Amino acid sequence: MRCVIARYPFDLTKSEVEEMLKGIRPEQPVSGPCAVISRKLYPVKQVGEVITKQDRRDFTAFEVTRALTRLGFTCHETPPAPTTPAPAATDPGPEPTSYIGTTLG
């Protein structure tokens, strides 16, 4: 699919983008626009730098987000909140004992 990033056309496919990012660790912490690629959360500016081989200042996060969305990737404005499992039901244990007014010795 033809995508325009920083006024330059790129012919990209979803599998090509995944292959380009293979072996590249996502920058941490991800705080702004991000994309899920191969089950990893990448900042879109990092992805744009890898796929265009240009400096990050040459394009906007919106341009890369638009291109990645058109290729079929899931993009977020901010990283999704981590899902936490529901706390397991626990035995409350014995009732608390009050030691007020007692001498412990």
Side-chain angles (χ1 to χ4, degrees):
M1 175 177 289
R2 182 161 286 235
C3 303
V4 177
I5 301 172
R7 297 186 318 258
Y8 292 99
F10 294 92
D11 288 317
L12 300 169
T13 64
K14 187 173 184 175
S15 60
E16 285 176 333
V17 172
E18 290 171 336
E19 188 63 32
M20 286 181 203
L21 289 167
K22 190 182 244 183
I24 296 177
R25 298 181 82 167
E27 295 171 353
Q28 297 297 327
V30 178
S31 59
C34 53
V36 178
I37 300 173
S38 299
R39 298 184 317 167
K40 294 179 186 172
L41 193 65
Y42 287 90
V44 293
K45 286 285 209 165
Q46 179 184 12
V47 175
E49 186 175 49
V50 170
I51 64 177
T52 65
K53 297 175 180 53
Q54 295 180 6
D55 189 278
R56 294 176 189 206
R57 295 173 290 184
D58 294 340
F59 52 84
T60 65
F62 177 75
E63 290 176 293
V64 179
T65 300
R66 182 180 57 212
L68 293 174
T69 301
R70 288 181 61 206
L71 289 170
F73 293 105
T74 303
C75 296
H76 304 280
E77 282 297 314
T78 57
T83 57
T84 55
T90 58
D91 180 25
E95 290 196 26
T97 308
S98 174
Y99 291 106
I100 298 175
T102 16
T103 305
L104 299 175

